[in-house]
Amino acid sequence: MSGLTEVRHGTDKEFAGFLTELVRDVAPRLFAIVEEYGDREDAEIAAYGLAFGDRADINSADGDFQMRSQSPESALALFALSAGTIDVSRLHLVWLDGAVVA
């Protein structure tokens, strides 16, 4: 066990609680990049992503590409470059825990 502290948790239930806490502490945040059409007339999900502490992994909603960026915000900027060629009026970064970044 290099680099890890050995900790014993008495019961299966206690250890399961420890594992749940461990996973929650390091879990990535789920977000979506959403394309807005017109002036709030319609919207479509362009991609979903996982935000880790040091990067964001993004998959297009239709499954045709994947990418990695430094952050969800930089992924949004990359999508903005490609969205200029279609009828997208605005892009949104939407966190699935409830926060929306315009």
Side-chain angles (χ1 to χ4, degrees), residues 63-79:
D64 63 353
F65 74 92
Q66 299 174 342
M67 69 182 221
R68 178 172 285 174
S69 69
Q70 292 178 334
S71 67
E73 293 78 11
S74 63
L76 184 69
L78 291 170
F79 270 83

Side-chain angles (χ1 to χ4, degrees), residues 31-49 58-65 76 79-80 82-83 86-94 96 100-101:
F31 66 92
I33 294 176
V34 181
E35 299 170 332
E36 177 184 333
Y37 297 94
D39 185 17
R40 297 183 305 265
E41 293 171 20
D42 201 1
E44 183 175 4
I45 299 166
Y48 285 102
I58 299 96
N59 292 291
S60 65
D62 57 11
D64 63 353
F65 74 92
L76 184 69
F79 270 83
S82 66
I86 54 177
D87 295 331
V88 175
S89 59
R90 204 166 143 197
L91 290 170
H92 300 270
L93 177 61
V94 180
L96 271 68
V100 176
V101 178

